[in-house]
Amino acid sequence: MATSPDPDPVHNLVLNQQQNPDPQSAEEEDCADEAAEIRALRTEVNDLHRAMESHPAIDQARGMLMTLGPCTAEEAWDVLVEVSQHSNTKLRAVAEELIATTEGEPLPGEIRAALSKALEKR
């Protein structure tokens, strides 16, 4: 006994794709997934490189704050983060500006103001 065809052509199409998936489509999907993963990994590697490059300057600025504060390493970190946020300056740039003061460079006004406020709280 033959079964009558399903009157819903969309349903037939979905069933056919589930039973006979297109191998090329699966390969294309795998390639797209791998490409997305590679892009994500490249972004992560770039971010880690930037973090490694800025780490010494941030540590040096923390040391300066610990000496001048005086404060703990964690408190110095909190001060740098607060100054960065309140002066709308990247943390690395705040650290570099603090380090530059050891060579006679003036601290930019917005960083100086945010640093004064952060240190007053301590």
Side-chain angles (χ1 to χ4, degrees):
M1 170 189 263
T3 60
S4 63
D6 193 337
D8 184 1
V10 173
H11 179 72
N12 285 339
L13 180 62
V14 169
L15 283 177
N16 186 32
Q17 286 179 344
Q18 288 174 346
Q19 293 169 356
N20 304 311
D22 180 8
Q24 189 164 358
S25 293
E27 287 177 15
E28 288 173 359
E29 189 174 315
D30 287 345
C31 285
D33 290 344
E34 288 175 6
E37 184 178 1
I38 288 169
R39 281 191 300 276
L41 289 170
R42 283 183 179 159
T43 299
E44 183 179 356
V45 167
N46 288 335
D47 291 347
L48 290 171
H49 278 286
R50 273 194 297 274
M52 287 175 52
E53 290 170 357
S54 62
H55 194 52
I58 292 170
D59 282 346
Q60 188 174 353
R62 285 173 71 182
M64 291 172 64
L65 289 173
M66 290 167 63
T67 301
L68 297 171
C71 59
T72 66
E74 186 175 328
E75 290 169 332
W77 172 259
D78 292 342
V79 167
L80 286 173
V81 169
E82 186 175 332
V83 170
S84 172
Q85 291 173 345
H86 287 86
S87 66
N88 197 26
T89 308
K90 290 189 180 269
L91 186 64
R92 181 194 76 254
V94 170
E96 290 169 351
E97 292 290 351
L98 280 172
I99 294 166
T101 64
T102 65
E103 298 172 3
E105 294 292 323
L107 199 57
E110 65 277 358
I111 294 176
R112 186 174 357 100
L115 181 60
S116 293
K117 284 183 181 181
L119 292 174
E120 285 174 8
K121 292 179 183 179
R122 309 254 179 271

